[in-house]
Amino acid sequence: MKTLLIKTHEAWLATLMAALMSRTTENKRILTEFSDILWRHFTWIENDLIRHRIEYDYDRDNIPIKVERLSSLVADIVRRMNEIELLLVRCEDEALKNRIRTDLEYMRYALGRLEDETICAFDMNRRYREIELDEEATGALTLFLFEESYKEYELIMIYNYLKAHSDDAFLNRIFQILIDESFFHLRSFGEMMAEMGILGVPRVIHQSLYKVSDIERFLLDGIDEEIAAKEQCRELSDAVASKSEELAKFFDFINYQENYHIELMREAVAHYRAKRSDG
């Protein structure tokens, strides 16, 4: 089951990357929906491991995605799905096994019918929607997108791990909101990176980041990181404001979203402290 988790993790991420690089509306819709399904599979397999008290981690292999045609990556995703199906024999939960197997059957069928397209997500053009940015603003935008896309992937995995190992409904509500927000940010930044020809797979995260021993300390550090991210967004908005009202307003939008993330984490910290005092 641990191998099944890893292979599902890799298939989910490869499918998400395919969705980000696609420029065809229907292809992007289907790939996004299938990446969501694979993510759900991942969390269900994880819960099965926890239920059986099996130790696991989020380690995975590197995922090569640099292709010239979408069909090349789609073929790789189908290969990954075939591997997952073979591993399902180890799943003792018949309902889960059957759900995953039938999902895979349909997804492979649908992927085989996708229209092929040329991929430009790796051409290093560093241009977004024909907006004329100077070299300094382009560099700042490029750095921000790399750093923040990797960070959002990390946050998805960290908050998912915390949620999977918590039975506290109050905290799990907060963790789920933060997971959903990070998915939105990752997809937004990833699509910008793909258009600029600089798309990359997030690096593997170290176990120490999500196997948190002091959750209160983690949340307090997270608040500081969100405050720093707000400042990065403000600086980036200022850097592009003279060239693109659209970009400036987008990064102001992201900046203001961080305010709610900070408040959620403060609520979580207060909840932890109240539980500790009650205990």
Side-chain angles (χ1 to χ4, degrees):
M1 286 294 287
K2 288 191 290 186
T3 304
L4 180 61
L5 185 77
I6 293 169
K7 294 303 180 183
T8 304
H9 186 172
E10 293 169 351
W12 157 64
L13 201 49
T15 308
L16 175 59
M17 292 295 110
L20 296 176
M21 67 180 70
S22 173
R23 293 190 176 187
T24 302
T25 301
E26 185 65 3
N27 286 354
K28 184 178 288 291
R29 180 188 68 79
I30 291 171
L31 289 163
T32 298
E33 289 177 352
F34 288 178
S35 72
D36 288 345
I37 290 172
L38 288 165
W39 170 256
R40 291 198 292 274
H41 290 179
F42 175 83
T43 62
W44 297 340
I45 295 165
E46 180 178 30
N47 288 334
D48 192 68
L49 288 166
I50 293 169
R51 187 166 61 249
H52 288 91
R53 291 182 166 81
I54 299 172
E55 288 292 324
Y56 69 95
D57 55 53
Y58 288 159
D59 291 351
R60 57 171 171 81
D61 289 336
N62 292 325
I63 303 171
I65 62 167
K66 194 171 183 179
V67 295
E68 295 182 356
R69 307 289 302 178
L70 181 66
S71 56
S72 298
L73 185 53
V74 167
D76 184 61
I77 292 168
V78 170
R79 177 189 62 79
R80 294 178 185 279
M81 290 180 174
N82 291 337
E83 289 183 347
I84 290 169
E85 186 170 43
L86 291 174
L87 289 166
L88 282 174
V89 68
R90 304 177 188 177
C91 180
E92 297 178 0
D93 185 328
E94 289 297 322
L96 177 58
K97 180 192 298 186
N98 290 332
R99 169 60 192 269
I100 293 175
R101 188 182 68 250
T102 53
D103 280 357
L104 292 174
E105 181 180 349
Y106 175 73
M107 288 191 289
R108 285 178 299 193
Y109 165 77
L111 289 173
R113 296 168 62 86
L114 288 187
E115 180 182 353
D116 197 12
E117 58 181 294
T118 302
I119 297 301
C120 303
F122 312 102
D123 64 11
M124 301 293 290
N125 68 80
R126 298 213 305 165
R127 290 175 62 85
Y128 181 68
R129 295 187 181 174
E130 302 304 318
I131 296 170
E132 295 289 343
L133 297 179
D134 59 30
E135 188 62 29
E136 182 177 357
T138 299
L141 177 58
T142 300
L143 181 61
F144 176 89
L145 291 174
F146 270 111
E147 290 182 345
E148 291 303 307
S149 64
Y150 290 171
K151 185 64 179 177
E152 297 300 344
Y153 167 74
E154 289 180 356
L155 290 174
I156 289 169
M157 303 313 297
I158 292 167
Y159 286 120
N160 181 71
Y161 191 89
L162 293 176
K163 181 173 180 283
H165 290 268
S166 169
D167 58 3
D168 188 313
F170 181 90
L171 292 173
N172 283 349
R173 176 187 65 86
I174 291 175
F175 293 153
Q176 186 59 56
I177 292 171
L178 293 171
I179 290 168
D180 293 341
E181 292 283 274
S182 286
F183 261 115
F184 170 71
H185 288 181
L186 176 59
R187 285 174 171 149
S188 297
F189 300 153
E191 288 186 352
M192 293 179 73
M193 293 173 75
E195 184 164 341
M196 295 174 68
I198 56 172
L199 184 63
V201 180
R203 57 184 169 263
V204 178
I205 65 174
H206 194 273
Q207 295 182 31
S208 61
L209 289 175
Y210 54 87
K211 293 188 175 182
V212 179
S213 58
D214 185 343
I215 296 180
E216 183 179 329
R217 182 71 261 164
F218 163 77
L219 289 167
L220 290 170
D221 290 342
I223 291 169
D224 290 340
E225 289 180 10
E226 293 285 6
I227 292 171
K230 280 177 54 63
E231 181 62 20
Q232 281 185 298
C233 286
R234 189 193 62 76
E235 291 176 355
L236 193 53
S237 177
D238 291 346
V240 302
S242 64
K243 297 294 184 180
S244 173
E245 180 184 31
E246 177 188 357
L247 277 178
K249 286 190 174 296
F250 173 74
F251 287 111
D252 283 341
F253 163 65
I254 297 296
N255 175 5
Y256 300 144
Q257 287 189 335
E258 305 291 5
N259 292 335
Y260 187 51
H261 302 169
I262 290 168
E263 288 308 310
L264 285 172
M265 286 187 281
R266 285 175 175 160
E267 284 186 31
V269 169
H271 181 75
Y272 263 107
R273 288 173 174 169
K275 285 182 64 175
R276 188 169 62 243
S277 64
D278 290 343

